[in-house]
Amino acid sequence: MLKKVTYGLYVLGALFTLPAFGTGEDAEEIIENLPGIEEKFIENHEEAAETFAYFSYGLGILSILGFWANWKENSFSNLLSFVVLLFAFLLLFFAKEVGTTGGEIRHPEIRKGFDLEKVN
């Protein structure tokens, strides 16, 4: 039962990635003209979001397969659940990257090489 619920949550996550990813272009149009915004940070965030989206869709597809295999009690369902778990951990890394690169757009203090002495 827990596996099926988890698979369902991963599929929902993949579905919710679609509208979240779709709002990026509109947000870019708004923020790119604000003072202090550098295009390279927007591009980094966009690339990270793209990678995250593809992995999220992949996890959704794997979860559908896992749900089916678990329901049919196929011999490879346990292996597939392990692959889905590994994929989910990989997706967490990319989710962190999207959040960090998004934060770097407006928060220079979290960027690599930020020097507080240069600000003061």
Side-chain angles (χ1 to χ4, degrees):
M1 176 69 170
L2 182 60
K3 283 183 188 180
K4 291 177 184 176
V5 171
T6 303
Y7 290 141
L9 289 174
Y10 290 154
V11 170
L12 278 176
L15 290 174
F16 282 119
T17 299
L18 291 166
F21 189 68
T23 61
E25 290 299 322
D26 293 337
E28 180 180 4
E29 294 297 319
I30 294 169
I31 201 166
E32 68 186 352
N33 297 318
L34 294 176
I37 301 299
E38 296 179 44
E39 183 68 26
K40 69 179 180 179
F41 294 109
I42 294 173
E43 292 298 320
N44 289 343
H45 178 63
E46 188 174 358
E47 289 175 17
E50 241 175 58
T51 303
F52 171 82
Y54 293 136
F55 273 88
S56 181
Y57 303 147
L59 181 61
I61 291 168
L62 282 174
S63 295
I64 290 170
L65 292 172
F67 187 88
W68 174 81
N70 191 275
W71 179 51
K72 291 291 187 176
E73 297 178 0
N74 285 347
S75 60
F76 63 89
S77 67
N78 285 334
L79 175 63
L80 189 55
S81 65
F82 182 71
V83 170
V84 167
L85 179 65
L86 290 177
F87 214 84
F89 279 116
L90 185 62
L91 186 66
L92 282 175
F93 169 77
F94 289 113
K96 191 250 354 144
E97 286 297 305
V98 171
T100 300
T101 57
E104 288 174 345
I105 295 171
R106 291 289 301 231
H107 297 281
E109 71 275 10
I110 67 169
R111 296 176 189 162
K112 290 179 183 172
F114 177 76
D115 188 4
L116 185 60
E117 297 298 320
K118 289 182 182 179
V119 176
N120 292 328

